[in-house]
Every structure is written in C-alpha cells, then in structure tokens.
Amino acid sequence: MSDWPPALTLETEPVLKLFTGENFYSSADAALREAVLNAIDAIGRRGGVDPEISVVFDKDNQTIEIADNGDGMGRDALSNLFSKVGASAAQLKGNYRAVGEFGIGALSYFLVADEYDIDTRKSESERLSLRFSKQMLDGVTTATEITPTRTDTGTTLKLHVSSSDLLDLCLKRFSHWMRSVRGLEAWVLPEDQEIVQGGLSRKVRMITPPELPDWIESAEIGPPEDLSIWDSYDGRAQIDVLYRGVFVERLSVEQLWGLEGAIHVDPKHFRPMLNREGFVGETLKAEMTPFLQSAHPAVLESAIGCIQDLLTSKDDWSRNKAITLWLAVPRKEPYSRAVELWDSEFRSLKVFRLLGKTEDRQVSITDVQQLNAAKIYLAPDQLDSANPIVGQAIRVLRGRGETVVQGLKRDGGYLSTVSVPAQYSSWLLLNAFREELPQIIEVQGVAQELVRQQSLAEVYTTVPVVKLVNLGAGSVPFLTVADEIWINVEAESGQKILEEICKRNEGHLGLWVACMMHAPGEGRLDQVGNLLRRRHPEIERLGLVRRQYLRSLLP
C-alpha cells in the first residue's frame, strides 16, 4: 500500500530531462492538452463505453475543469501516477495503446495552476479526492484530502488557474488543440457558451485513402475545397497530425500539391519524447511521405472538381495559374486516371496563341484540332529573343496562312515548391497531345530552309553565295548561314551595304568593304572574312542590268 495522502516524489532522471530546454513544454496551454490526452487514455483503458469528456472554463472562479468517464483511479494508482512524477501511465493497463507516455501530468498542470484537484472513482471502489499544490515540489509536503463529489466511474481534474491571462490563453487555444476528440464537449461560464472543436485546418474534399499502415489509425485527406487556398497555393501538402483527435503538429511535405487534411496516428509507433509538441520530429515526416505519395493520385483525381469550381466561379483567375496546375500533373503511373480527367477538362482552356496572318488569338487544344490543318508549326515560346531567321520564318508561315501555334508561360511563382516539367504550355503539345494532333513541326528546325526559299536575289553565285533576305527592320544587317552570307535589306544598314555593293561592283571584295563601312560593329566580320578566304579566286562583277535590278529591290 502506498503512503496516503501521497507526497510528490521524483523519478530523478526523467524529471531532469523534462526541465532541459528542448524537452520542456513551450507554452503553458499545453497543460490543457495534457489533461485531455490523459482523459482519452483513461477512457481507452476502461473500454466498452462511449467516450464522454467535458471541459468547463469558469471565468468567475478562474478554474478549468476536465471530466471523463474513464476507468478512474484507486489509491495506489493515484499515488503512483500523480505523486511519482516520471511514472508511466501506460503501465496502468497492458494492451491499450495510451497517448500518455510519461506520468508528467502533475508537473504540466503547474504550468497554469498553483494547485489542482483530482476527484476520481474506480468502478466499485471508494471515491477519492485530493488537492495537489506547488508546495509538494519540496518532496515533503503531501497532497490534501478534500470532499469527493463524483458518484460515477471516472475522473474530474480541476485546475485553479494562476491568473485570468493564463485562463484566457487556454480558452483561446482550446480549438487549436482540440480538433475532433470523440465525446468531447466544452463550455465557458458564466456565459454558458459552448466551444466548438477546431476540426480540420482546411476543409477538404475527402477521398477514400489507400490501405493504411498499422500506425495510422485514420486519415481525412483530399484536395482543399476553399477556392481562396488555390489562389495562392505554393504546392506543399499540409497535414495535421492528431493523436485521438488532439492536435500535435503540422507537417508540410513538398511536391504533393493538392493534398490537405488530417491523419490520426498511433503515438506508440514513434520514439516518445517528454514534450509532445516535438513528439516525433522528422521521423514522422519520413515515414508518412510514402503513404501520402500513394494517396496523391486519388487526390489529384478528386481535385479536378475543385478546379472546375474555381474556373467557373472566378473569371479573373489567372490563366497562367491554370497552366501551371495542368503542367504539374505527373504524366506517369499511377496518375493515368488523373491525367485523363485533367486533360478532359483543360483541353477546352485557351492556353495557346494562334499566330494568324493579321492578328493573334488565344486557342485551346480543341480549337487547334478543329482547324483541320495538315501541319502545325510550333513557334518559339519567346519570339522577342528568337533568332532573326526564326522570326522571318514565322513571318513567311503567317503570310502563307499556315497554322502557327505558340505556348503561353506558366506562373513561375505559383506552385513554387513543385517540380514542373516546363515553363510553357507548348510542352503539352509536344508531349501530351502529339498523337492526337496533325504533324507538329518546330519552326526553329526549318527556319533556315524557309527563309532560303524566300530570298529576294542572289548577288554572287560563286562560293560564298550572297543572298538578299527580309529579316525585319530591327534585325541584324547581315549574317552568315553555313557557306552563305545573307544581307537583310529590311535593315537600314543592310540597305546601305547593298547600295555600296552596286556602286563599287567589286565582287566579294566590294562586299567586304561594304560591310566594313556600313556595319563595322556587328561582330560578324570575322565570319564573313573566313568565308571569303575560301571563295572562288575570280571576282564576279554584277553588270549594269544586274545592278539596276538589285537597286530596284531597295525602298
């Protein structure tokens, strides 16, 4: 038989660890969480009853009362558990997997209270009621017996909170800690106002999760239904970790975009720590990630419903964000069903640009298919920085009425933590829809041939051949292509080079002098010089008729 009433004795090593920095509770309101976790364990040990836990915040009397219909305690259990700090609650009953790993309730309650009362009754046992105070920390002072009030099996803990600020802190944090504890109800007195548990941090469109590992008791996961979340989504999976409905920590996992919710885990699976706020640390994230990865395909399948709502409800939602999401859907097993659903929805979204003869317009995959073109020419994603030959080739194709399509850029700041395979929607044309569309030809690969075919004239036919081409007024005056020299007669300097050639009529030598005179800073003279060194030794003069013809090509 233990001493009665009990004094507070210490298991030295656990208590010393408890008071060393990283293992100690970081906030006083953790005492409230500890009390509810202990109540959950007590009900679990009793078994066979519907859980009933009440939490009452009494502002007038400055108390917090936590009552449960658990197994209650006899004298030995009460002495061992609440007077011997460091004793494990898990020792009270063998098979039940308790949340509480260490008997630290006594000490944690002193974070908010100078004294607290335990009123308890074990089935068919005497009623017991004790008051514990901070003075017991001297190891000599004993608990004080007070009048029992409970008549049924269970335990009531009453914390005499040290200050109104601490009571307000616990009240404010109640919904943060208590998320979905079965059978838990809470009130504030004297208002007699009910407090609602916090539930999921974000409402999700729940999926049926894959097979759960034995250490996951249940999972409430899916894509977030709140459309405002999708507006600024960074792509991290956000998971609340709960122990029997009590919040412990929040995990953030990269890459698994669209996945939110809560997972209830078996606390005994992980190495326990005295501070439940850091109960599992990186161990949990490492073990949970494979499970979340297995659930991710189903989450993306469900997410398309959320995205449909988003696209139809907000006309100003960025098209570039939609492109980013579409590109981010993994095109591999086991995502085939998700890919099918996203493609079906997004093929009508206008995420490409059709470069027409006179104007451009936004088009979708469906629009492109309905053009009935034999070929689709794919323009570079950034025309401003494209090679001048490519730019002229696109002008040629547009002039001929060919189907020229360009991709749109995704939102680089959206889904910032997700690896997306491409920056532009053109990736989808080349990789996702190539088999459904006509022949796709990248302009860059055929640009030189297109411009070569459109050359205005050949000034010199001996090697190197000199051709007159249109590359745009803002483009380079001349450049070398293979064994040819192209003069851009749309550029002002190119026109002057051609005039100088006609005036001098000195063959390739005249070309060299003209380039030196009218475009000395272009940086391509060395390339021209290398070609001229390999030219035919004879100088080809133009003749009067030829010179007049070339001059007629100038503005």
Side-chain angles (χ1 to χ4, degrees), residues 8-267:
L8 185 63
T9 59
L10 304 179
E11 291 286 333
T12 307
E13 185 177 353
V15 172
L16 287 176
K17 289 182 179 178
L18 179 64
F19 279 100
T20 57
E22 65 178 6
N23 289 330
F24 193 58
Y25 288 107
S26 63
S27 179
D29 57 290
L32 172 63
R33 179 178 56 171
E34 183 72 24
V36 174
L37 288 171
N38 286 336
I40 293 170
D41 283 348
I43 296 170
R45 289 191 299 269
R46 180 177 181 183
V49 296
D50 293 330
E52 295 178 8
I53 303 173
S54 70
V55 179
V56 178
F57 296 86
D58 189 334
K59 292 182 178 178
D60 286 347
N61 294 309
Q62 204 165 292
T63 61
I64 303 173
E65 183 177 280
I66 302 94
D68 66 66
N69 64 336
D71 59 344
M73 287 174 283
R75 290 190 174 220
D76 287 348
L78 191 57
S79 291
N80 290 333
L81 184 60
F82 286 95
S83 65
K84 194 173 184 180
V85 178
S88 173
Q91 298 171 9
L92 295 182
K93 190 167 182 179
N95 293 328
Y96 173 71
R97 294 180 298 184
V99 176
E101 180 67 19
F102 293 91
I104 57 175
L107 214 54
S108 69
Y109 301 154
F110 288 144
L111 292 170
V112 297
D114 291 334
E115 58 184 23
Y116 62 88
D117 302 337
I118 299 293
D119 191 5
T120 185
R121 184 179 188 184
K122 198 169 183 65
S123 177
E124 300 180 0
S125 298
E126 65 178 318
R127 296 183 296 165
L128 301 172
S129 191
L130 293 174
R131 175 163 294 170
F132 294 81
S133 70
K134 276 189 177 179
Q135 291 178 333
M136 296 172 66
L137 294 175
D138 62 13
V140 176
T141 304
T142 64
T144 304
E145 291 191 82
I146 56 179
T147 304
T149 59
R150 283 200 72 120
T151 59
D152 57 340
T153 300
T155 299
T156 300
L157 165 68
K158 179 178 286 188
L159 302 173
H160 298 272
V161 183
S162 305
S163 69
S164 59
D165 288 342
L166 283 174
L167 190 142
D168 289 341
L169 172 65
C170 292
L171 179 58
K172 180 180 179 181
R173 297 282 285 173
F174 173 85
S175 295
H176 170 76
W177 294 124
M178 310 308 154
R179 298 300 182 88
S180 57
V181 180
R182 287 184 58 218
L184 174 63
E185 295 181 341
W187 294 270
V188 180
L189 300 179
E191 298 92 333
D192 199 26
Q193 177 183 353
E194 185 174 3
I195 313 172
V196 180
Q197 294 190 67
L200 295 176
S201 294
R202 294 175 177 176
K203 186 179 180 182
V204 299
R205 187 170 297 194
M206 283 195 288
I207 65 163
T208 300
E211 183 178 357
L212 300 176
D214 58 5
W215 52 272
I216 294 181
E217 297 179 342
S218 62
E220 302 167 274
I221 55 176
E225 288 196 335
D226 184 354
L227 301 185
S228 65
I229 293 173
W230 290 100
D231 256 352
S232 56
Y233 202 59
D234 68 358
R236 292 182 176 91
Q238 302 290 349
I239 303 297
D240 290 338
V241 182
L242 308 179
Y243 294 161
R244 312 279 154 76
V246 179
F247 176 80
V248 175
E249 61 183 292
R250 187 165 172 81
L251 288 183
S252 179
V253 185
E254 289 74 18
Q255 297 298 323
L256 302 181
W257 62 277
L259 202 163
E260 305 275 334
I263 291 182
H264 302 252
V265 302
D266 169 18

Side-chain angles (χ1 to χ4, degrees), residues 142-438:
T142 64
T144 304
E145 291 191 82
I146 56 179
T147 304
T149 59
R150 283 200 72 120
T151 59
D152 57 340
T153 300
T155 299
T156 300
L157 165 68
K158 179 178 286 188
L159 302 173
H160 298 272
V161 183
S162 305
S163 69
S164 59
D165 288 342
L166 283 174
L167 190 142
D168 289 341
L169 172 65
C170 292
L171 179 58
K172 180 180 179 181
R173 297 282 285 173
F174 173 85
S175 295
H176 170 76
W177 294 124
M178 310 308 154
R179 298 300 182 88
S180 57
V181 180
R182 287 184 58 218
L184 174 63
E185 295 181 341
W187 294 270
V188 180
L189 300 179
E191 298 92 333
D192 199 26
Q193 177 183 353
E194 185 174 3
I195 313 172
V196 180
Q197 294 190 67
L200 295 176
S201 294
R202 294 175 177 176
K203 186 179 180 182
V204 299
R205 187 170 297 194
M206 283 195 288
I207 65 163
T208 300
E211 183 178 357
L212 300 176
D214 58 5
W215 52 272
I216 294 181
E217 297 179 342
S218 62
E220 302 167 274
I221 55 176
E225 288 196 335
D226 184 354
L227 301 185
S228 65
I229 293 173
W230 290 100
D231 256 352
S232 56
Y233 202 59
D234 68 358
R236 292 182 176 91
Q238 302 290 349
I239 303 297
D240 290 338
V241 182
L242 308 179
Y243 294 161
R244 312 279 154 76
V246 179
F247 176 80
V248 175
E249 61 183 292
R250 187 165 172 81
L251 288 183
S252 179
V253 185
E254 289 74 18
Q255 297 298 323
L256 302 181
W257 62 277
L259 202 163
E260 305 275 334
I263 291 182
H264 302 252
V265 302
D266 169 18
K268 292 302 220 177
H269 178 75
F270 299 98
R271 179 178 64 83
M273 296 171 63
L274 290 174
N275 179 3
R276 286 195 176 113
E277 294 172 69
F279 190 70
V280 291
E282 288 301 313
T283 302
L284 175 61
K285 183 174 182 179
E287 293 208 36
M288 187 174 287
T289 297
F291 167 72
L292 296 177
Q293 289 171 336
S294 70
H296 193 226
V299 170
L300 292 191
E301 291 170 27
S302 178
I304 192 63
C306 303
I307 299 302
Q308 286 172 329
D309 295 342
L310 189 66
L311 294 175
T312 57
S313 67
K314 295 185 70 176
D315 294 335
D316 61 343
W317 196 62
S318 169
R319 179 184 289 104
N320 298 58
K321 290 181 180 178
I323 293 172
T324 306
L325 288 173
W326 194 13
L327 285 170
V329 178
R331 293 185 176 268
K332 60 183 180 180
E333 291 295 339
Y335 292 89
S336 57
R337 176 59 180 162
V339 169
E340 180 183 342
L341 292 171
W342 280 75
D343 285 354
S344 176
E345 178 66 28
F346 274 66
R347 63 171 57 245
S348 60
L349 193 68
K350 298 182 185 299
V351 296
F352 306 95
R353 183 179 290 110
L354 181 66
L355 308 182
K357 263 189 175 183
T358 57
E359 63 179 2
D360 303 339
R361 62 186 176 95
Q362 305 294 332
V363 294
S364 65
I365 290 289
T366 301
D367 295 333
V368 173
Q369 289 176 317
Q370 293 175 348
L371 293 173
N372 294 321
K375 297 178 180 177
I376 296 174
Y377 288 92
L378 189 61
D381 298 313
Q382 294 177 292
L383 288 180
D384 292 344
S385 59
N387 183 294
I389 300 175
V390 174
Q392 175 60 17
I394 291 174
R395 291 171 61 190
V396 170
L397 291 169
R398 295 176 72 167
R400 286 174 12 190
E402 299 283 0
T403 300
V404 183
V405 177
Q406 184 185 33
L408 299 184
K409 190 174 184 180
R410 76 175 183 90
D411 187 333
Y414 189 63
L415 248 62
S416 57
T417 66
V418 177
S419 295
V420 180
Q423 292 292 317
Y424 291 85
S425 59
S426 54
W427 183 91
L428 292 161
L429 287 175
L430 291 173
N431 294 275
F433 294 96
R434 181 183 285 275
E435 294 183 0
E436 296 184 36
L437 296 170

